[in-house]
Coordinates of all heavy atoms in Angstrom, one line a residue:
M1 N 17.7 -11.7 -6.7 CA 17.3 -11.0 -5.5 C 17.4 -9.5 -5.6 O 16.5 -8.8 -5.1 CB 18.3 -11.5 -4.4 CG 17.7 -11.2 -3.0 SD 16.2 -12.1 -2.8 CE 15.8 -11.6 -1.2
K2 N 18.3 -9.1 -6.4 CA 18.4 -7.6 -6.6 C 17.2 -7.1 -7.4 O 16.7 -6.0 -7.1 CB 19.6 -7.3 -7.5 CG 20.9 -7.5 -6.9 CD 22.0 -7.1 -7.8 CE 23.4 -7.6 -7.4 NZ 24.4 -7.3 -8.3
A3 N 16.6 -7.9 -8.3 CA 15.5 -7.5 -9.0 C 14.3 -7.4 -8.2 O 13.5 -6.4 -8.4 CB 15.2 -8.5 -10.2
A4 N 14.1 -8.2 -7.2 CA 13.0 -8.1 -6.3 C 13.1 -6.8 -5.4 O 12.1 -6.1 -5.2 CB 12.9 -9.4 -5.4
A5 N 14.3 -6.5 -5.0 CA 14.5 -5.3 -4.2 C 14.2 -4.1 -5.1 O 13.6 -3.1 -4.6 CB 15.9 -5.3 -3.7
I6 N 14.6 -4.1 -6.3 CA 14.3 -3.0 -7.2 C 12.8 -2.8 -7.4 O 12.3 -1.7 -7.3 CB 15.0 -3.2 -8.6 CG1 16.5 -3.2 -8.5 CG2 14.5 -2.3 -9.7 CD1 17.1 -1.8 -8.3
F7 N 12.1 -3.9 -7.6 CA 10.7 -3.9 -7.8 C 10.0 -3.3 -6.5 O 9.1 -2.4 -6.6 CB 10.0 -5.2 -8.1 CG 8.5 -5.2 -8.2 CD1 7.9 -4.7 -9.2 CD2 7.8 -5.6 -7.1 CE1 6.5 -4.6 -9.2 CE2 6.4 -5.6 -7.1 CZ 5.7 -5.1 -8.2
V8 N 10.3 -3.8 -5.4 CA 9.7 -3.4 -4.1 C 10.0 -1.9 -3.9 O 9.1 -1.1 -3.5 CB 10.2 -4.2 -2.9 CG1 9.7 -3.6 -1.6 CG2 9.7 -5.6 -3.1
A9 N 11.2 -1.5 -4.1 CA 11.6 -0.1 -3.8 C 10.8 0.9 -4.8 O 10.3 1.9 -4.3 CB 13.1 0.1 -4.1
F10 N 10.7 0.5 -6.0 CA 10.0 1.4 -7.0 C 8.5 1.3 -6.8 O 7.8 2.3 -7.0 CB 10.5 1.2 -8.4 CG 11.7 1.9 -8.7 CD1 13.0 1.3 -8.6 CD2 11.7 3.2 -9.1 CE1 14.2 1.9 -8.8 CE2 13.0 3.9 -9.4 CZ 14.1 3.2 -9.2
F11 N 8.0 0.1 -6.4 CA 6.6 0.0 -6.1 C 6.2 0.9 -4.9 O 5.2 1.7 -5.1 CB 6.2 -1.4 -5.8 CG 4.9 -1.6 -5.2 CD1 3.8 -1.5 -6.0 CD2 4.7 -1.8 -3.8 CE1 2.4 -1.7 -5.4 CE2 3.4 -1.9 -3.3 CZ 2.3 -1.8 -4.1
L12 N 7.0 0.9 -3.9 CA 6.7 1.8 -2.8 C 6.9 3.2 -3.1 O 6.1 4.1 -2.7 CB 7.6 1.4 -1.6 CG 7.4 0.1 -0.9 CD1 8.4 -0.3 0.1 CD2 6.0 0.0 -0.3
L13 N 7.9 3.5 -3.9 CA 8.1 4.9 -4.3 C 7.0 5.5 -5.1 O 6.4 6.6 -4.8 CB 9.4 5.0 -5.1 CG 9.7 6.4 -5.7 CD1 10.3 7.3 -4.6 CD2 10.7 6.3 -6.9
F14 N 6.5 4.8 -6.1 CA 5.4 5.3 -7.0 C 4.1 5.2 -6.2 O 3.2 6.1 -6.4 CB 5.4 4.5 -8.3 CG 6.4 4.9 -9.3 CD1 7.5 4.1 -9.5 CD2 6.3 6.1 -9.9 CE1 8.4 4.6 -10.5 CE2 7.2 6.6 -10.9 CZ 8.3 5.8 -11.1
T15 N 3.9 4.3 -5.3 CA 2.7 4.2 -4.6 C 2.6 5.4 -3.7 O 1.5 6.1 -3.6 CB 2.5 2.9 -3.9 OG1 2.6 1.8 -4.8 CG2 1.2 2.8 -3.1
C16 N 3.6 5.6 -2.9 CA 3.6 6.8 -1.9 C 3.6 8.1 -2.7 O 2.9 9.0 -2.2 CB 4.9 6.7 -1.1 SG 4.9 5.3 0.0
A17 N 4.2 8.2 -3.8 CA 4.2 9.4 -4.6 C 2.8 9.7 -5.1 O 2.3 10.9 -5.1 CB 5.2 9.4 -5.7
S18 N 2.1 8.6 -5.5 CA 0.7 8.8 -6.1 C -0.3 9.2 -4.9 O -1.2 9.9 -5.2 CB 0.2 7.5 -6.7 OG 1.0 7.2 -7.8
I19 N 0.0 8.7 -3.8 CA -0.9 9.1 -2.6 C -0.6 10.6 -2.2 O -1.5 11.4 -1.9 CB -0.7 8.1 -1.4 CG1 -1.3 6.8 -1.8 CG2 -1.4 8.6 -0.2 CD1 -1.0 5.7 -0.8
A20 N 0.7 10.9 -2.2 CA 1.1 12.2 -1.6 C 0.8 13.3 -2.6 O 0.4 14.4 -2.1 CB 2.7 12.2 -1.3
V21 N 0.9 13.1 -3.9 CA 0.7 14.2 -4.9 C -0.6 13.8 -5.6 O -0.6 12.9 -6.4 CB 1.9 14.3 -5.9 CG1 1.6 15.4 -6.9 CG2 3.1 14.5 -5.2
P22 N -1.7 14.6 -5.3 CA -3.0 14.2 -5.9 C -3.1 14.6 -7.4 O -4.0 15.4 -7.8 CB -4.0 14.9 -5.0 CG -3.2 16.2 -4.5 CD -1.8 15.7 -4.4
V23 N -2.2 14.2 -8.3 CA -2.3 14.5 -9.7 C -2.7 13.2 -10.4 O -2.0 12.2 -10.1 CB -0.9 15.0 -10.2 CG1 -0.9 15.2 -11.7 CG2 -0.6 16.3 -9.4
P24 N -3.6 13.1 -11.2 CA -4.0 11.9 -12.0 C -2.9 11.4 -12.8 O -2.3 12.1 -13.7 CB -5.2 12.3 -12.8 CG -5.5 13.7 -12.5 CD -4.5 14.3 -11.6
M25 N -2.5 10.2 -12.6 CA -1.4 9.6 -13.4 C -2.0 8.3 -14.1 O -2.8 7.6 -13.5 CB -0.3 9.1 -12.5 CG 0.7 10.1 -12.1 SD 2.1 9.5 -11.1 CE 2.7 8.2 -12.0
F26 N -1.7 8.1 -15.3 CA -2.0 6.9 -16.0 C -1.2 5.7 -15.5 O 0.0 5.9 -15.3 CB -1.8 7.0 -17.5 CG -2.2 5.9 -18.3 CD1 -3.6 5.7 -18.7 CD2 -1.3 4.9 -18.7 CE1 -3.9 4.6 -19.4 CE2 -1.7 3.8 -19.4 CZ -3.0 3.6 -19.8
P27 N -1.8 4.6 -15.3 CA -3.1 4.1 -15.6 C -4.0 4.1 -14.3 O -5.2 3.8 -14.4 CB -2.8 2.6 -15.9 CG -1.7 2.2 -15.0 CD -0.9 3.5 -14.9
G28 N -3.5 4.6 -13.2 CA -4.2 4.7 -11.9 C -5.6 5.4 -12.1 O -6.6 5.0 -11.5
N29 N -5.5 6.5 -12.8 CA -6.7 7.3 -12.9 C -7.8 6.6 -13.8 O -9.0 7.0 -13.7 CB -6.5 8.7 -13.5 CG -5.9 8.7 -14.9 OD1 -5.3 7.7 -15.3 ND2 -5.9 9.8 -15.5
M30 N -7.4 5.6 -14.6 CA -8.4 4.9 -15.4 C -9.0 3.6 -14.8 O -9.9 3.1 -15.2 CB -7.7 4.5 -16.7 CG -7.2 5.7 -17.5 SD -8.5 6.8 -18.0 CE -9.4 5.8 -19.1
I31 N -8.3 3.2 -13.7 CA -8.8 1.9 -13.1 C -10.2 2.0 -12.7 O -11.0 1.0 -13.0 CB -7.8 1.5 -12.0 CG1 -6.4 1.2 -12.5 CG2 -8.3 0.3 -11.2 CD1 -6.3 0.0 -13.4
P32 N -10.6 3.0 -11.9 CA -12.0 3.0 -11.5 C -13.0 3.0 -12.7 O -14.1 2.4 -12.6 CB -12.2 4.3 -10.7 CG -10.8 4.6 -10.2 CD -9.9 4.1 -11.3
T33 N -12.6 3.7 -13.8 CA -13.5 3.7 -15.0 C -13.6 2.3 -15.6 O -14.6 1.8 -16.0 CB -13.0 4.7 -16.0 OG1 -12.9 6.0 -15.3 CG2 -13.9 4.8 -17.1
W34 N -12.4 1.7 -15.8 CA -12.4 0.3 -16.4 C -13.0 -0.7 -15.7 O -13.7 -1.6 -16.2 CB -10.9 -0.1 -16.7 CG -10.2 0.8 -17.7 CD1 -10.7 1.5 -18.7 CD2 -8.8 0.9 -17.8 NE1 -9.7 2.1 -19.5 CE2 -8.5 1.7 -18.9 CE3 -7.7 0.4 -17.1 CZ2 -7.2 2.0 -19.3 CZ3 -6.4 0.7 -17.5 CH2 -6.2 1.5 -18.6
L35 N -12.9 -0.7 -14.3 CA -13.5 -1.7 -13.5 C -14.9 -1.3 -12.9 O -15.5 -2.0 -12.1 CB -12.5 -2.1 -12.3 CG -11.2 -2.6 -12.7 CD1 -10.3 -2.8 -11.5 CD2 -11.3 -3.9 -13.6
R36 N -15.3 -0.1 -13.3 CA -16.6 0.4 -12.9 C -16.7 0.5 -11.4 O -17.7 0.1 -10.8 CB -17.8 -0.4 -13.5 CG -17.8 -0.4 -15.0 CD -19.0 -1.2 -15.5 NE -18.8 -1.6 -16.9 CZ -19.0 -0.9 -18.0 NH1 -19.5 0.3 -17.8 NH2 -18.9 -1.4 -19.2
I37 N -15.7 1.0 -10.8 CA -15.6 1.2 -9.3 C -16.2 2.5 -9.0 O -15.7 3.5 -9.5 CB -14.2 1.0 -8.8 CG1 -13.6 -0.3 -9.1 CG2 -14.2 1.3 -7.3 CD1 -12.1 -0.5 -8.8
P38 N -17.2 2.6 -8.1 CA -17.8 3.9 -7.8 C -16.8 4.7 -6.9 O -16.0 4.1 -6.2 CB -19.0 3.5 -6.9 CG -18.8 2.2 -6.4 CD -17.9 1.5 -7.4
L39 N -16.8 6.0 -7.1 CA -15.9 6.9 -6.3 C -16.2 6.7 -4.8 O -17.3 6.7 -4.4 CB -16.1 8.3 -6.7 CG -15.6 8.7 -8.1 CD1 -15.9 10.1 -8.4 CD2 -14.2 8.4 -8.3
S40 N -15.2 6.5 -4.1 CA -15.3 6.4 -2.6 C -13.9 7.0 -2.1 O -13.1 7.4 -2.7 CB -15.4 5.0 -2.2 OG -14.3 4.2 -2.4
E41 N -13.8 6.9 -0.7 CA -12.6 7.3 -0.1 C -11.4 6.4 -0.3 O -10.3 6.8 -0.1 CB -12.8 7.5 1.4 CG -13.2 6.1 2.1 CD -13.5 6.3 3.6 OE1 -14.5 6.9 3.8 OE2 -12.7 5.8 4.4
Y42 N -11.7 5.2 -0.9 CA -10.6 4.3 -1.1 C -10.1 4.4 -2.5 O -9.0 3.8 -2.9 CB -11.0 2.9 -0.9 CG -11.4 2.6 0.6 CD1 -12.7 2.4 1.0 CD2 -10.4 2.7 1.6 CE1 -13.1 2.2 2.3 CE2 -10.7 2.5 2.9 CZ -12.1 2.3 3.2 OH -12.4 2.1 4.6
T43 N -10.7 5.1 -3.4 CA -10.3 5.2 -4.8 C -8.9 5.7 -5.0 O -8.2 5.1 -5.8 CB -11.4 6.1 -5.6 OG1 -12.7 5.5 -5.4 CG2 -11.1 6.1 -7.0
P44 N -8.5 6.7 -4.3 CA -7.1 7.2 -4.5 C -6.0 6.1 -4.1 O -5.0 6.0 -4.8 CB -6.9 8.3 -3.6 CG -8.3 8.8 -3.3 CD -9.2 7.6 -3.4
Y45 N -6.3 5.2 -3.2 CA -5.4 4.1 -2.8 C -5.4 3.1 -3.9 O -4.4 2.5 -4.2 CB -5.8 3.5 -1.5 CG -5.8 4.6 -0.4 CD1 -7.0 5.0 0.3 CD2 -4.6 5.2 0.0 CE1 -6.9 6.0 1.3 CE2 -4.5 6.2 1.0 CZ -5.7 6.6 1.6 OH -5.7 7.6 2.6
I46 N -6.5 2.8 -4.5 CA -6.6 1.8 -5.6 C -5.7 2.3 -6.7 O -5.0 1.6 -7.4 CB -8.1 1.5 -6.0 CG1 -8.8 0.8 -4.9 CG2 -8.1 0.7 -7.3 CD1 -10.3 0.7 -5.1
E47 N -5.9 3.6 -7.1 CA -5.2 4.3 -8.1 C -3.7 4.2 -7.9 O -2.9 3.9 -8.7 CB -5.7 5.7 -8.4 CG -7.1 5.7 -8.8 CD -7.6 7.2 -8.9 OE1 -6.8 8.1 -8.6 OE2 -8.7 7.3 -9.3
A48 N -3.3 4.5 -6.6 CA -1.9 4.5 -6.2 C -1.3 3.2 -6.3 O -0.1 3.0 -6.8 CB -1.8 5.1 -4.8
V49 N -2.0 2.1 -5.9 CA -1.4 0.8 -5.9 C -1.3 0.3 -7.5 O -0.3 -0.3 -7.9 CB -2.3 -0.3 -5.2 CG1 -1.9 -1.7 -5.5 CG2 -2.2 0.0 -3.7
A50 N -2.3 0.7 -8.3 CA -2.2 0.4 -9.7 C -0.9 1.1 -10.3 O -0.1 0.5 -11.1 CB -3.4 0.8 -10.4
N51 N -0.7 2.4 -10.0 CA 0.5 3.1 -10.4 C 1.8 2.4 -10.0 O 2.7 2.2 -10.7 CB 0.4 4.5 -10.1 CG -0.6 5.3 -10.8 OD1 -0.9 4.9 -11.9 ND2 -1.0 6.4 -10.2
G52 N 1.8 2.1 -8.6 CA 2.9 1.4 -8.1 C 3.3 0.1 -8.8 O 4.5 -0.2 -9.1
L53 N 2.3 -0.7 -9.1 CA 2.5 -2.0 -9.7 C 3.0 -1.8 -11.1 O 4.0 -2.5 -11.5 CB 1.2 -2.8 -9.8 CG 0.8 -3.4 -8.5 CD1 -0.6 -4.0 -8.6 CD2 1.7 -4.5 -8.0
L54 N 2.4 -0.9 -11.9 CA 2.8 -0.7 -13.3 C 4.2 -0.2 -13.4 O 5.0 -0.7 -14.1 CB 1.8 0.1 -14.0 CG 2.3 0.4 -15.5 CD1 2.1 -0.8 -16.3 CD2 1.6 1.6 -16.0
Y55 N 4.5 0.9 -12.7 CA 5.8 1.6 -12.8 C 6.8 0.8 -12.1 O 8.0 0.8 -12.6 CB 5.7 3.0 -12.4 CG 4.8 3.9 -13.2 CD1 3.6 4.4 -12.8 CD2 5.1 4.0 -14.6 CE1 2.8 5.1 -13.6 CE2 4.3 4.7 -15.4 CZ 3.1 5.3 -14.9 OH 2.3 6.0 -15.8
G56 N 6.6 0.1 -11.1 CA 7.5 -0.8 -10.5 C 7.8 -1.9 -11.4 O 9.1 -2.4 -11.5
F57 N 6.9 -2.5 -12.1 CA 7.1 -3.6 -13.0 C 8.0 -3.1 -14.2 O 8.9 -3.8 -14.6 CB 5.8 -4.2 -13.5 CG 5.9 -5.3 -14.5 CD1 6.4 -6.5 -14.1 CD2 5.7 -5.2 -15.8 CE1 6.6 -7.6 -14.9 CE2 5.8 -6.2 -16.7 CZ 6.2 -7.4 -16.2
I58 N 7.7 -1.9 -14.7 CA 8.4 -1.3 -15.8 C 9.9 -1.1 -15.4 O 10.8 -1.5 -16.2 CB 7.8 -0.1 -16.4 CG1 6.5 -0.4 -17.1 CG2 8.8 0.7 -17.3 CD1 5.7 0.9 -17.4
T59 N 10.1 -0.6 -14.2 CA 11.5 -0.4 -13.7 C 12.2 -1.7 -13.6 O 13.4 -1.9 -13.9 CB 11.5 0.4 -12.4 OG1 10.7 1.6 -12.6 CG2 12.8 0.8 -12.0
W60 N 11.5 -2.8 -13.1 CA 12.1 -4.0 -12.9 C 12.5 -4.7 -14.2 O 13.6 -5.2 -14.3 CB 11.1 -5.0 -12.2 CG 11.5 -6.4 -12.1 CD1 12.4 -6.9 -11.2 CD2 11.1 -7.5 -12.9 NE1 12.7 -8.2 -11.4 CE2 11.8 -8.6 -12.5 CE3 10.3 -7.6 -14.0 CZ2 11.7 -9.9 -13.1 CZ3 10.1 -8.8 -14.6 CH2 10.8 -9.9 -14.2
I61 N 11.7 -4.5 -15.2 CA 12.0 -5.0 -16.6 C 13.2 -4.4 -17.1 O 14.1 -5.0 -17.7 CB 10.8 -4.9 -17.5 CG1 9.6 -5.8 -17.2 CG2 11.2 -5.1 -19.0 CD1 9.9 -7.3 -17.5
V62 N 13.3 -3.0 -17.0 CA 14.5 -2.3 -17.5 C 15.7 -2.8 -16.8 O 16.7 -3.0 -17.4 CB 14.2 -0.8 -17.4 CG1 15.5 0.0 -17.6 CG2 13.1 -0.3 -18.3
F63 N 15.6 -2.9 -15.4 CA 16.8 -3.4 -14.7 C 17.1 -4.8 -15.1 O 18.4 -5.1 -15.3 CB 16.5 -3.4 -13.2 CG 17.5 -4.0 -12.3 CD1 18.7 -3.3 -12.1 CD2 17.4 -5.3 -11.9 CE1 19.7 -3.9 -11.3 CE2 18.4 -5.9 -11.1 CZ 19.5 -5.2 -10.8
F64 N 16.2 -5.7 -15.3 CA 16.5 -7.0 -15.7 C 17.2 -7.1 -17.0 O 18.2 -7.8 -17.2 CB 15.2 -7.8 -15.7 CG 15.3 -9.3 -16.1 CD1 15.8 -10.2 -15.3 CD2 15.0 -9.6 -17.4 CE1 16.0 -11.5 -15.7 CE2 15.1 -10.9 -17.9 CZ 15.7 -11.9 -17.0
L65 N 16.6 -6.3 -18.0 CA 17.2 -6.3 -19.4 C 18.7 -5.7 -19.4 O 19.5 -6.3 -20.0 CB 16.4 -5.6 -20.3 CG 15.0 -6.2 -20.6 CD1 14.2 -5.4 -21.5 CD2 15.2 -7.7 -21.2
I66 N 18.9 -4.7 -18.6 CA 20.2 -4.1 -18.6 C 21.2 -5.0 -17.9 O 22.3 -5.2 -18.3 CB 20.2 -2.7 -17.9 CG1 19.5 -1.7 -18.8 CG2 21.5 -2.2 -17.5 CD1 19.2 -0.3 -18.2
N67 N 20.7 -5.6 -16.8 CA 21.6 -6.5 -16.1 C 21.9 -7.7 -16.9 O 23.1 -8.2 -16.9 CB 20.9 -6.9 -14.8 CG 21.8 -7.7 -13.8 OD1 23.0 -7.4 -13.8 ND2 21.3 -8.5 -13.0
R68 N 21.0 -8.2 -17.7 CA 21.2 -9.4 -18.6 C 22.2 -9.0 -19.7 O 23.1 -9.8 -20.0 CB 19.9 -9.8 -19.2 CG 20.0 -11.1 -20.0 CD 18.6 -11.5 -20.4 NE 18.8 -12.6 -21.4 CZ 17.8 -13.1 -22.1 NH1 16.6 -12.5 -22.0 NH2 18.1 -14.1 -23.0
K69 N 22.1 -7.8 -20.2 CA 23.0 -7.4 -21.2 C 24.4 -7.3 -20.7 O 25.4 -7.6 -21.4 CB 22.5 -6.0 -21.8 CG 23.3 -5.5 -23.0 CD 23.0 -6.2 -24.2 CE 23.5 -5.5 -25.4 NZ 23.3 -6.3 -26.6
I70 N 24.5 -6.7 -19.5 CA 25.9 -6.6 -18.9 C 26.5 -8.0 -18.6 O 27.7 -8.2 -18.9 CB 25.8 -5.8 -17.6 CG1 25.5 -4.3 -17.9 CG2 27.0 -5.9 -16.8 CD1 25.2 -3.5 -16.7
D71 N 25.7 -8.9 -18.2 CA 26.2 -10.3 -18.0 C 26.6 -10.9 -19.2 O 27.6 -11.7 -19.3 CB 25.1 -11.2 -17.3 CG 24.9 -10.8 -15.8 OD1 25.7 -10.0 -15.3 OD2 23.9 -11.2 -15.3
I72 N 25.9 -10.7 -20.3 CA 26.3 -11.3 -21.6 C 27.6 -10.7 -22.1 O 28.5 -11.4 -22.6 CB 25.2 -11.1 -22.6 CG1 23.9 -12.0 -22.3 CG2 25.6 -11.4 -24.0 CD1 22.7 -11.7 -23.1
V73 N 27.8 -9.3 -22.0 CA 28.9 -8.7 -22.5 C 30.2 -9.2 -21.7 O 31.2 -9.4 -22.2 CB 28.8 -7.2 -22.4 CG1 30.1 -6.4 -22.5 CG2 27.7 -6.7 -23.3
H74 N 30.0 -9.3 -20.4 CA 31.2 -9.8 -19.6 C 31.3 -11.3 -19.5 O 32.3 -11.7 -18.9 CB 31.0 -9.2 -18.1 CG 31.1 -7.7 -18.0 ND1 32.3 -7.1 -18.3 CD2 30.2 -6.7 -17.8 CE1 32.2 -5.8 -18.1 NE2 30.9 -5.6 -17.8
G75 N 30.4 -12.0 -20.1 CA 30.6 -13.4 -20.2 C 30.4 -14.2 -18.9 O 30.9 -15.3 -18.7
L76 N 29.6 -13.6 -18.0 CA 29.3 -14.3 -16.8 C 28.2 -15.2 -16.9 O 27.2 -15.4 -16.9 CB 29.1 -13.3 -15.7 CG 30.3 -12.4 -15.4 CD1 29.9 -11.3 -14.4 CD2 31.4 -13.2 -14.8

């Protein structure tokens, strides 16, 4: 359950940060090119969601692996 909360928190953090700060971040800035999406007023939101998903997932994986390592060391 902690892992889901970590994912949601970092997904929201990176999505909001990508919307608030108009600086191109990988992979969000590449999504319209890869999927051949024409530029529109919704393009920044698509890019922000892509960034939130990727960086939220990476943070979740790191949390999961560290938590697993701690559980193995403590024998739980």
Side-chain angles (χ1 to χ4, degrees):
M1 193 65 178
K2 291 179 196 176
I6 293 290
F7 174 78
V8 169
F10 280 93
F11 168 76
L12 291 174
L13 176 78
F14 281 106
T15 301
C16 292
S18 295
I19 291 171
V21 181
V23 176
M25 280 179 55
F26 181 81
N29 64 339
M30 298 300 294
I31 296 297
T33 305
W34 290 339
L35 300 178
R36 301 180 201 275
I37 298 172
L39 291 178
S40 70
E41 62 186 64
Y42 299 111
T43 304
Y45 300 113
I46 294 169
E47 294 174 1
V49 169
N51 287 335
L53 286 172
L54 177 74
Y55 295 117
F57 182 71
I58 289 171
T59 307
W60 174 77
I61 288 290
V62 169
F63 173 79
F64 178 78
L65 293 174
I66 290 172
N67 194 27
R68 184 173 173 194
K69 185 73 168 177
I70 290 171
D71 286 347
I72 290 172
V73 169
H74 290 293
L76 297 174

